[in-house]
Structures are given as C-alpha cells and as structure tokens.
Amino acid sequence: AVVSTQSTGNRAPNMTEFIKQGSSWGQVTITISNSNRINHEAWEYDTYGDFVMVERRISKKGSTYKLKSSTGKVISTKKNDLKLLLDHYNIQVNNPVSILNQEMAKRFLASTDPSSKYNFFMKSTHLEQMILDYQQVNERLDMIKHTIQKK
C-alpha cells in the first residue's frame, strides 16, 4: 500500500478502503536499508543516512508521500522522488516475486494448473513485458520499412 495502487494489491476497490473504520486517515510506513555494506550504492547517503523511511498517508481526499531520513526529517514529498528511489534499488512493486500480495499468493498456491504457474513465471521474470516490447519494436520497424519503401 505504500507504493502500490489498489489494483496492485487486489484487496480493495480503492485506496480509501484501507482506512480503519471510524478513522479519517490511514498511514503505512516502510523502512529501507540505505547502508553501503551489501554491495550496492546508497541512495543519497549524505541526505538520508543509514535508512530511508517511506510514509504514505491515505485520506478520503487522496494520499500523500513522505521520504524521511534516518533521523526522521522529511526530505521529500514528491512521488517522483519515490519512483527514483524504487528505481535505484530496483524495487518492482508490480512484480509478484518482489512483492507477493496475499491474493496472488493464494491463487498461486491453490493452482495446480501449469499455465497459471507459467503466467506467474512470465510476469515475475518480466519476459511477458519483454515480449510485448519486442512486438512493439517489430511493428515500428515494419512501419519504418514501409515508409522507406514509399520514398
């Protein structure tokens, strides 16, 4: 819920459904290690420190994001900065291997159908997206060849 949409989570028709009954807002906070010890570059270490806190506050009016340093100081409230952080750490919120929501786990574990497991594999390895991208490139290439032949 911190970085996903309700369609990613498959748990509610919209994000406001995550708000506890009787409350006017809900909040989810995750903490991401930002140390350089595990063979990766830290995300703006001088600004954030040893970890980055990502906070999402959901209300009936919408939602807001906060990126906080390890001291709790708010560094950014821009969704784009959150996307940059996710890209930096290659966190793919729509990839079922990265984040396996409860509904997807139930379907996967209950499925004995090989095609369901194959579809899960194709999505989690991004091969499904690569095939779509490859098809688009081929379509564009065909259009370019056709345009060149006309000239």
Side-chain angles (χ1 to χ4, degrees), residues 30-122:
I30 62 169
T31 303
I32 300 171
S33 175
N34 196 40
S35 65
N36 209 12
R37 291 174 278 177
I38 312 172
N39 261 350
H40 64 276
E41 293 292 321
W43 170 258
E44 299 181 17
Y45 186 82
D46 293 338
T47 304
Y48 288 96
D50 288 331
F51 56 88
V52 179
M53 290 183 281
V54 180
E55 179 181 290
R56 184 172 185 181
R57 186 177 177 123
I58 304 163
S59 70
K60 303 280 186 209
K61 296 176 184 174
S63 64
T64 59
Y65 297 90
K66 290 182 184 175
L67 294 179
K68 295 181 176 182
S69 70
S70 55
T71 62
K73 179 182 176 188
V74 176
I75 304 298
S76 176
T77 58
K78 297 175 185 172
K79 190 173 182 180
N80 190 56
D81 288 342
L82 174 58
K83 289 180 181 180
L84 292 172
L85 172 71
L86 296 175
D87 286 345
H88 177 80
Y89 283 114
N90 198 23
I91 299 171
Q92 303 160 1
V93 295
N94 293 325
N95 185 333
V97 172
S98 296
I99 300 174
L100 185 61
N101 66 54
Q102 186 177 359
E103 194 61 36
M104 180 81 83
K106 281 195 290 189
R107 275 190 267 141
F108 180 72
L109 293 172
S111 172
T112 56
D113 178 24
S115 67
S116 294
K117 289 186 175 37
Y118 177 77
N119 290 336
F120 179 85
F121 170 78
M122 291 296 286

